[in-house]
Amino acid sequence: EVQTTSCKSMAAPQAVVEDKEVKELEQILSALEKYHPTIPDSVTEYYLRKTGFHTTDPRVTRLVSLAAQKFIADIAHEALQQARMRNMREKGRKDQRLVMTAQDIGAALQVHNVKIVKPEHLGPLSGGAAGGSA
């Protein structure tokens, strides 16, 4: 036997969930008005405009800044872990200072699915002191 529920009984709990989500969103947006992220609004606005995104709401800009700040912090943390693992593999070294390298950052970026592409070598400049002729 199949039991059915009326649409009215399903709508009430859904409305309560939606009201709770709206209140949470309003709290977050209110907090964003007072929060000043590490990345200045002007920097975030510049890159948003450069990508074609325009907003007049400073809370949206701050939300993007906060997301970027979190992403950078995650990359830095992962790179630190990579440096620690590399340092442990190289125990025979005389100097045991922890140094983060570009390889550590590259490995951290790969963990977050960010691909690094090195620019192509442009070759020697012609006509310079390196033997090129004019």
Side-chain angles (χ1 to χ4, degrees):
E1 186 175 308
V2 177
Q3 292 182 346
T4 59
T5 57
S6 71
C7 291
K8 290 180 182 178
S9 65
M10 293 294 287
Q14 185 176 4
V16 170
V17 170
E18 288 176 0
D19 286 344
K20 183 180 177 185
E21 289 174 353
V22 168
K23 286 179 184 178
E24 288 175 354
L25 181 59
E26 287 173 354
Q27 288 175 342
I28 291 170
L29 292 175
S30 175
L32 281 172
E33 289 176 353
K34 300 169 190 156
Y35 178 74
H36 295 286
T38 304
I39 302 170
D41 289 346
S42 60
V43 172
T44 304
E45 288 169 359
Y46 169 80
Y47 284 104
L48 286 174
R49 280 192 309 272
K50 191 173 178 178
T51 61
F53 184 85
H54 301 283
T55 183
T56 57
D57 190 345
R59 298 173 303 178
V60 172
T61 303
R62 290 202 177 136
L63 185 61
V64 172
S65 293
L66 185 61
Q69 182 176 330
K70 169 76 167 95
F71 178 72
I72 292 167
D74 288 349
I75 296 298
H77 177 73
E78 181 64 34
L80 178 63
Q81 298 306 317
Q82 294 287 333
R84 284 183 178 154
M85 288 189 299
R86 182 181 38 76
N87 199 36
M88 290 178 72
R89 288 190 304 262
E90 300 172 354
K91 282 190 175 192
R93 290 185 336 176
K94 190 174 188 178
D95 184 10
Q96 287 295 315
R97 289 182 297 163
L98 186 60
V99 177
M100 193 180 305
T101 65
Q103 288 80 17
D104 298 326
I105 296 170
L109 288 168
Q110 282 183 341
V111 168
H112 291 273
N113 297 320
V114 177
K115 184 178 179 183
I116 301 293
V117 179
K118 294 180 183 177
E120 292 183 28
H121 181 64
L122 298 176
L125 296 175
S126 62
S133 59

